[in-house]
Every structure is written in C-alpha cells, then in structure tokens.
Amino acid sequence: MVSSHLLINITIIIVLLSTTSTAQISSSDSQDSIVIPITKDIGSLQYITQIGQRTPHVPTKLVVDLGGRFLWVDCHSGYVSSTYRQVQCQSVQCSTALSTGPTVFAASERGKSLCKTYPENSISGVGSNGELVEDVITVGSTNGSVSTVDRFLFSCGPTYLLDRLAAGVQGMVGLGKNRIGLPSQLSARFNLNRKFAICLPSSVQSNGVIFIGGGPYTIRPKRDILKSLIYTPILSKPGTVSEPSSDDQYYIGVKSIKVNGIRIQLNPGLLSIDSDTGFGGTKLSTIVPYTTLESSIYSALTEAFVISSKSYNLSRVEPIQPFGFCFGTENISWNRNGPVVPNVELELQSEMVKWRIFGSNLMVPVTDQVMCLGLLDGGLKPKTSIVIGGFQLENNLLEFDLATSMLGFSSSLPNKQTSCSGFNFNPVLFDSS
C-alpha cells in the first residue's frame, strides 16, 4: 500500500505543476526575480508590504511575518472579487496546504466540504478559524514588468484579527518555508529558484525590498550584494507534543557572543535547541521590533557593553522604556556604521563565520539627547533564548535558500557604503494608490 506521506508529496508536485501554467506573465523573460517593496510603519514599528489582489485589482497592504505560514487577509470587510474561489477539501490545493501542518484542516459547512485554515495574528497572538481560498495577485519583477498570478492560495480571516496591526493593513504575509508560503508559491509559479531575500528599511522615508527567486541583488551604486554574502545553515526546530511543528520559523546556530572582540560567558545550553522541549536557540523575526535575550544572556551582554563603553567616553542616563540601558548623545560620534559604540559579534558555526552588529543596529535614537541600547530582557524561561528582531535586521540583506536550508547574510550594508533603500524601484510599475 502506498503511504499517506508519499501521496501527499505526489499531490504537492501535481498542484505546483498545474498552477504554474496559470500564471500570467507580462514579460517574455520569466526568470527575472520577483521584487516587492517594504516600508516601515513609524507608529507600530511593523514592516509593511503591498501587493495587488482581486479582480478588479485592489492594492493590499500586509504586515511582513518572516516566519508566518501563509498569506491571510480580512475577507469580511468588503472583500469583492470576481476571481475569488473557495478551496474544496478533496482538491489538490487543499492536499498541498494540509501537508504544511495542523493549521490547515478539512471541515463540512452548509453541505460543502471546505478546506479550512487557522490564520494567526502573530503580533497579538490571536488566531481564528478561516478558509483556504484562491484569487489573483499581481507583483513586480526586476525587469520592470508586472506579473499576474491567478489561483494564488491564501487564507481568509475575520476582521478582529487585524487588532494591533498598523493602520490600513488588511492582513499578514507569511514568508515561511512551507509550500503555500509566498516565496514557495511564487517560485513555483514562475519556475524560479526556491529562495528569497529580504532587506528591511531603517527609515519610514525609504523602501526596503523582498526578492523572490534569487539574485543578483543589485543595489546602488550598482553593487551586487550576493557576491559578499556569508552563509550559515538554517536550523529546524523539532516538534513537541504542545507544538507539533515550528518548521516555518528560521533558526540559526549561534555558538558564542563577543562584545568588542571579547567573548562573554554564557550557558551554552541556552544557545542550542533542546530536542525534548524545543526551548532555546536563536530565531530571526520581523514581528519582534528589538532583539530579545534570555535574562542571563541579556545581563552578560549588557554588562560587557557598559564596561566596554567606558573607553568610548559614553555617559549613561536614566533608561527610557522599554530599554534598560541608555546613553547621552553628547559624546557619541558617528561614522558610516552609525553611532560609534562597542560592536557585538554573533559567532556562528565557526570563529570564521560571524555576524557583526554595529552601532546603527544597536543604538535606538529616543530623543535628541538620548540613545538606548536596542536589546530587551526576554525573561528567565522564554521559548527561544535569542530572538533577533527587526531593528537588528535593518540594512542587512538576508537570503533564505529553502532548497538547501542555508542563510546568506551581508551584515551591515552601510559598512559597504549602501543600504536596503538602494534598490531602484523606478522600472517596477507598482500601483501606489
């Protein structure tokens, strides 16, 4: 008898091949990467992208969730589209979605057997039953064309899931590793490499970018960042009884941490993922605004930072929430890496592979007179020991190769005399309405 696991894999191949033929590509060159702009919302500190959706076309703003399973939108507040379709539970599309884990399931409703989902607002932590549906989306490509994808799979959620999301947002877009995440769907539709890159903007006045399909990642002044990436494995977090699967999140293996080149003393068990409980390790997140660290890691790192800061003549001032360590700006000088302060190094699989974090990704301007260290105490027993948040990811280009489970990272782009806002969107015909 053929196993259910094999049947699911065969079904995935069938649906990806069948839906590839339905993508309408306005350019003759289907190998150009897809590009989608990212902006930063000043009030919520969330990262927002916009795609076209529905028939007729409607610009749709979505919060970017790096570890989210799929795209979901509020379909209960005036969602009207002639190309909207519910997905039946015995279809190949539902079988593909079912393979992603327990957030998709089949259910009967008003005589129809529909494919159900569980969309979640990962900021508020609230989820709800929803429906797996299909509709048209439009995206831009690096050659300047706009491409239309029909039968794109996403989830419909209720309006209350928008709580705590930025104003004007209509849902969230998940960039997780599963087959119905945005990167996998678009890569399959356009026959692109199953990889994507994200470059978060550091300012509300500029755009960042998501590339889907691989490089080159050409950013002004005509510099291909792909050539300077450093690579580290993407780790999988084992499932547990309470959390059967966390495969959509992106974990990396941090072995040690240095402040200004001096290694700090840490409990090594906190840096690895416990195979029984799933606790520990280091995760990347666009949902958490600032990096959070388990309490003992936070204490060791901030103590080393304060000691090292004395050689920079920095003066501590009263902390301003949510930060624990703040400094007066009068003695802080600047260079291309931002405020000149002690740097932090994350040592990865070896001493030769390190992610260096400079002042522009460490110091948060709070007032004209005060800057604060942008690290937060995550408590004594967090699920994840280190969550690298959005502020520390800004102006770093990160490439996620889903086929090989490797992460390529640039470290600070300002150190390379460029930034995430350096991508030229002028040839890409986005609807800005």
Side-chain angles (χ1 to χ4, degrees):
M1 181 178 292
V2 179
S3 71
S4 59
H5 178 72
L6 178 59
L7 288 174
I8 287 175
N9 286 338
I10 293 172
T11 304
I12 290 172
I13 295 171
I14 292 172
V15 71
L16 292 177
L17 289 175
S18 65
T19 54
T20 299
S21 64
T22 67
Q24 305 299 315
I25 306 173
S26 59
S27 166
S28 60
D29 183 3
S30 63
Q31 297 303 308
D32 287 287
S33 295
I34 300 299
V35 288
I36 306 172
I38 307 176
T39 59
K40 184 176 182 178
D41 179 71
I42 187 61
S44 64
L45 302 181
Q46 294 164 15
Y47 301 95
I48 313 299
T49 191
Q50 179 173 287
I51 62 171
Q53 196 183 40
R54 317 180 200 182
T55 304
H57 168 94
V58 174
T60 304
K61 291 184 177 181
L62 306 163
V63 172
V64 177
D65 183 359
L66 180 61
R69 286 187 175 274
F70 41 67
L71 188 155
W72 66 262
V73 300
D74 167 24
C75 297
H76 295 188
S77 298
Y79 191 104
V80 177
S81 174
S82 63
T83 46
Y84 168 92
R85 298 287 184 275
Q86 294 176 313
V87 173
Q88 304 297 308
C89 75
Q90 296 187 2
S91 65
V92 290
Q93 291 91 339
C94 189
S95 296
T96 301
L98 284 168
S99 69
T100 69
T103 57
V104 181
F105 54 96
S108 296
E109 183 177 298
R110 294 188 294 275
K112 294 181 180 180
S113 186
L114 300 177
C115 200
K116 293 294 199 175
T117 59
Y118 192 79
E120 183 178 6
N121 179 331
S122 49
I123 293 174
S124 67
V126 174
S128 172
N129 290 339
E131 294 181 356
L132 186 68
V133 297
E134 301 174 328
D135 209 340
V136 166
I137 67 167
T138 55
V139 291
S141 67
T142 50
N143 67 8
S145 67
V146 173
S147 301
T148 301
V149 182
D150 58 4
R151 297 181 61 192
F152 183 88
L153 293 169
F154 66 100
S155 175
C156 275
T159 304
Y160 66 78
L161 279 189
L162 300 179
D163 183 44
R164 292 177 57 186
L165 299 186
V169 161
Q170 295 171 270
M172 304 185 78
V173 56
L175 304 180
K177 293 181 277 188
N178 73 80
R179 292 289 180 174
I180 61 171
L182 182 77
S184 292
Q185 284 202 69
L186 292 183
S187 295
R189 298 294 181 97
F190 295 107
N191 194 30
L192 300 170
N193 291 322
R194 193 165 171 250
K195 60 177 64 174
F196 72 96
I198 187 168
C199 206
L200 298 180
S202 61
S203 167
V204 296
Q205 284 84 33
S206 59
N207 283 337
V209 60
I210 300 171
F211 296 91
I212 295 178
Y217 307 120
T218 304
I219 295 178
R220 289 191 292 262
K222 292 187 177 179
R223 183 166 297 164
D224 181 10
I225 304 302
L226 178 63
K227 297 177 181 178
S228 62
L229 296 184
I230 302 169
Y231 292 90
T232 192
I234 297 171
L235 306 180
S236 293
K237 184 174 181 178
T240 63
V241 174
S242 60
E243 221 176 56
S245 175
S246 296
D247 281 345
D248 287 288
Q249 303 287 342
Y250 295 98
Y251 290 82
I252 58 173
V254 174
K255 302 297 184 185
S256 69
I257 301 175
K258 294 180 180 179
V259 175
N260 254 18
I262 300 175
R263 183 176 285 108
I264 62 176
Q265 296 300 312
L266 301 173
N267 176 356
L270 294 171
L271 299 179
S272 59
I273 302 172
D274 188 283
S275 58
D276 294 325
T277 65
F279 278 42
T282 300
K283 179 175 73 174
L284 308 179
S285 173
T286 57
I287 295 304
V288 175
Y290 303 103
T291 292
T292 61
L293 307 118
E294 186 273 341
S295 288
S296 67
I297 300 175
Y298 175 80
S299 296
L301 196 160
T302 53
E303 180 182 3
F305 186 92
V306 169
I307 292 173
S308 185
S309 71
K310 293 178 181 178
S311 64
Y312 292 77
N313 199 28
L314 302 187
S315 57
R316 284 185 64 184
V317 298
E318 284 296 314
I320 298 175
Q321 292 296 321
F323 306 108
F325 295 85
C326 297
F327 302 83
T329 58
E330 66 273 11
N331 293 328
I332 297 179
S333 58
W334 290 69
N335 61 21
R336 67 185 182 189
N337 292 315
V340 178
V341 298
N343 64 67
V344 173
E345 289 181 5
L346 305 180
E347 182 183 301
L348 302 175
Q349 64 265 36
S350 73
E351 290 189 6
M352 300 299 294
V353 183
K354 53 191 175 185
W355 183 335
R356 182 172 292 173
I357 306 173
F358 295 99
S360 59
N361 292 109
L362 287 173
M363 303 304 291
V364 181
V366 179
T367 70
D368 291 340
Q369 293 78 37
V370 177
M371 303 188 80
C372 296
L373 181 61
L375 305 174
L376 302 181
D377 188 338
L380 286 173
K381 293 184 179 180
K383 286 186 177 180
T384 306
S385 298
I386 303 173
V387 180
I388 302 177
F391 185 77
Q392 279 68 40
L393 300 180
E394 291 175 355
N395 278 330
N396 286 257
L397 189 138
L398 307 175
E399 181 192 68
F400 299 83
D401 190 327
L402 303 183
T404 63
S405 293
M406 294 295 291
L407 170 72
F409 61 96
S410 66
S411 286
S412 172
L413 289 182
N415 193 42
K416 298 175 173 60
Q417 298 182 309
T418 186
S419 70
C420 288
S421 62
F423 179 75
N424 181 16
F425 280 99
N426 289 335
V428 184
L429 307 176
F430 289 109
D431 184 342
S432 59
S433 60

